[in-house]
């Protein structure tokens, strides 16, 4: 069973970010925007932001990932979310996203960005009902972010 636990522990979050995003950091060498490169100080600033909430994604009481929800206007942004590599491919990401959407059931618009070059990530979000808005941004040559949006009923 996947559960969400709100957290303010920057050290635990940073460890999860480094472990969850390490593969993408090694692949794209993105040392400016990859969550694995975030400092504890910057993460503590984000934790203090009243428009953000950080959650540990847990399976049987063990932290297997994390998620940040940020309010931007009418939308809730998932920014970022990550699972530890050894827990990927088991349906935990789907369960975590559905748990976040249930926790914020009042939200009518959800948004996120992901690497356009990571086809499996794009398919994952599309399977959950997120649709590309057509907007992309270049992080660096060979790495682009694609913007996704989900309108709730």
């Amino acid at each position: 069973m996947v559960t969400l636990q709100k957290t303010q522990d920057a050290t635990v979050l940073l460890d999860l970010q480094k472990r969850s995003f390490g593969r993408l950091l090694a692949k794209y060498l993105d040392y400016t925007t990859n969550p694995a490169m975030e400092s504890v100080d910057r993460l503590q600033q984000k934790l203090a932001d009243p428009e953000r909430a950080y959650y540990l994604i847990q399976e049987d009481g063990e932290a297997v990932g994390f998620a940040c929800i940020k309010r931007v206007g009418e939308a809730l942004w998932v920014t970022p979310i990550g699972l530890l590599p050894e827990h990927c491919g088991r349906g935990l990401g789907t369960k975590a996203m559905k748990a976040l959407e249930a926790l914020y059931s009042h939200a009518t618009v959800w948004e996120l960005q992901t690497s356009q070059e990571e086809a499996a990530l794009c398919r994952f979000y599309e399977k959950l009902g997120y649709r590309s808005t057509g907007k992309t941004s270049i992080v660096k040559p060979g790495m682009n972010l694609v913007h996704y949006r989900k309108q709730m009923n």
Side-chain angles (χ1 to χ4, degrees), residues 9 21 32 48 61 65 72 84 100 103 105 109 116 121 133 138 141 147:
D9 192 330
F21 282 87
T32 55
V72 178
L84 298 177
L100 287 167
L103 184 63
S105 60
V109 178
Q116 186 174 29
L121 287 174
T133 64
I138 299 170
H147 180 239

Side-chain angles (χ1 to χ4, degrees), residues 5 12 15 21 26 45 48 54 56 61-62 70 79 82-83 94 111 116 118 122 132 134 136 149 151 153:
Q5 179 185 0
V12 168
D15 176 62
F21 282 87
Q45 290 172 354
Y54 279 86
L56 299 179
E62 175 191 358
K70 179 181 178 186
T79 179
L83 284 178
T94 298
E111 299 189 49
Q116 186 174 29
E118 294 296 314
C122 293
S132 172
T136 60
R149 182 179 178 101
Q151 187 75 42
N153 295 332

Side-chain angles (χ1 to χ4, degrees), residues 15-64:
D15 176 62
L16 289 168
Q17 286 184 191
K18 287 180 179 195
R19 293 167 55 204
S20 297
F21 282 87
R23 181 187 68 80
L24 293 176
L25 179 63
K27 182 175 182 178
Y28 295 106
L29 305 176
D30 169 26
Y31 299 110
T32 55
T33 66
N34 187 299
M37 295 303 299
E38 199 158 39
S39 70
V40 171
D41 289 342
R42 178 66 183 130
L43 193 49
Q44 287 172 331
Q45 290 172 354
K46 288 180 174 182
L47 283 162
D49 181 349
E51 298 298 319
R52 291 181 196 259
Y54 279 86
Y55 296 90
L56 299 179
I57 301 168
Q58 298 181 316
E59 181 183 42
D60 300 326
E62 175 191 358
V64 297

